[in-house]
Amino acid sequence: MNKTAVRTLQRFLSDQKTYNGSIDGIRGPKTLAAINATLRNHASQLPDGAERWSDRRRAVACLQLACQLSKIEAGPIDGLWGPQTEYAASVLATLQTTGSKPDPWRDRQPTDANPNNWYREAELEQALGSPTRKPPLTVVPCPWKLALAWDLNTCPSGIGCHELVADSLARILSRAHDHYGPQRLRELGLHRYGGCYNKRRKRGGTHWSTHAWGLAIDWDPAHNKLKWGRDRARLARLEYDTWWRLWEEEGWVSLGRTRNFDWMHVQAVKL
Ligand SMILES: [Zn+2]
């Protein structure tokens, strides 16, 4: 159970009027007391023996209860932190912060929002010039620690991208950091930075890659290989749904979400 989940739990406890501490993601004595009070109030929904569970397990059970009360399918209240509980907790977090649940992921189409008026691929060369000349690049600092995917001991301070997309990228990184927190981002492999600006042609093609303008970023390439589909690519998993939503809200395009290949790749260019 990570800090984000503890914050979700604390918001629920606060709604239940058993907690008036801060929403800090720390499972301290005040939070624990609130968990115990809340579980007592809903004792009939708990399995036998739940009162003997460890503090950690009771915290997870309380979060599962919170999901159940909001009609979010979290499975039986067993106090065990598995993928279903994790997903349910992320749905509850969205509900708490936006007032509505995210669309069911099975029905979800990537949004085609384009608030920053990103170009289409076919327009790039005319609009931004040929990438034979180096584009104007700027380094956007990353709020969590990055490591080069091919050399994890090297930690770049930020992402060198086209200046056109820098503000948007900074907003996305900041929102991702707020949502997941540095520890969770690391668990998700989102510190494994696969590069942005790269003067090259598309792999297996003759056209310039969007990387040649510094308009695309690769994440965790080792676990999201070019030809892998959603059955293998790590970034296709449920727990990355918010990650991709943050990019799509800014008009960025995930090739994985739209074409089901190259899941490492996201670009500020419309297809
Ligand atoms: Zn790429």
Side-chain angles (χ1 to χ4, degrees):
M1 197 172 176
N2 55 50
K3 268 192 156 183
T4 304
V6 176
R7 280 195 208 99
T8 306
L9 177 57
Q10 287 170 329
R11 280 190 215 103
F12 163 71
L13 296 170
S14 155
D15 289 346
Q16 293 285 307
K17 312 261 186 281
T18 52
Y19 182 71
N20 59 9
S22 58
I23 309 297
D24 56 7
I26 296 165
R27 195 156 49 80
K30 250 186 142 170
T31 305
L32 183 60
I35 290 167
N36 288 333
T38 303
L39 290 180
R40 263 196 311 277
N41 292 342
H42 296 273
S44 64
Q45 278 157 276
L46 303 179
D48 290 342
E51 66 284 352
R52 291 188 300 276
W53 288 348
S54 68
D55 290 348
R56 182 184 186 280
R57 192 166 171 187
R58 286 170 67 76
V60 175
C62 196
L63 190 54
Q64 290 170 331
L65 171 73
C67 293
Q68 213 171 72
L69 293 174
S70 288
K71 309 235 180 315
I72 298 165
E73 188 49 62
I77 296 180
D78 58 9
L80 303 176
W81 182 259
Q84 193 175 5
T85 301
E86 180 171 359
Y87 179 64
S90 75
V91 173
L92 180 61
T94 304
L95 179 63
Q96 288 172 339
T97 51
T98 68
S100 59
K101 292 178 198 172
D103 301 335
W105 65 275
R106 283 175 209 282
D107 303 337
R108 169 165 297 189
Q109 292 296 312
T111 65
D112 204 30
N114 193 9
N116 300 300
N117 299 311
W118 302 140
Y119 297 113
R120 307 215 158 252
E121 280 204 50
E123 302 167 332
L124 282 180
E125 200 149 346
Q126 203 183 4
L128 299 176
S130 163
T132 49
R133 242 178 312 117
K134 196 173 180 180
L137 298 173
T138 181
V139 174
V140 174
C142 186
W144 65 94
K145 193 175 171 192
L146 296 176
L148 291 184
W150 57 89
D151 175 14
L152 293 172
N153 292 318
T154 300
C155 302
S157 61
I159 297 177
C161 64
H162 196 294
E163 60 184 22
L164 187 69
V165 302
D167 289 348
S168 170
L169 176 59
R171 286 192 292 271
I172 295 166
L173 297 177
S174 156
R175 287 169 194 156
H177 183 254
D178 286 351
H179 179 80
Y180 291 106
Q183 192 194 335
R184 183 68 184 139
L185 285 161
R186 203 178 167 80
E187 288 165 10
L188 291 169
L190 293 171
H191 61 302
R192 294 166 184 264
Y193 168 61
C196 178
Y197 173 67
N198 187 353
K199 187 178 148 188
R200 65 168 170 84
R201 308 267 173 182
K202 278 187 186 174
R203 296 188 188 97
T206 55
H207 295 289
W208 286 106
S209 159
T210 48
H211 286 284
W213 285 276
L215 298 172
I217 302 168
D218 291 336
W219 296 96
D220 194 7
H223 299 101
N224 300 280
K225 296 198 173 152
L226 184 64
K227 292 188 176 168
W228 288 4
R230 54 173 57 84
D231 54 323
R232 295 184 75 186
R234 196 175 177 202
L235 282 161
R237 294 183 194 164
L238 275 182
E239 57 263 40
Y240 297 90
D241 195 55
T242 299
W243 170 255
W244 290 124
R245 199 165 43 75
L246 295 173
W247 293 91
E248 287 163 3
E249 280 168 2
E250 286 277 336
W252 293 61
V253 175
S254 147
L255 288 182
R257 299 253 285 187
T258 52
R259 298 279 165 93
N260 196 26
F261 74 101
D262 204 0
W263 278 89
M264 73 179 91
H265 179 99
V266 65
Q267 62 181 38
V269 179
K270 290 299 190 182
L271 295 172

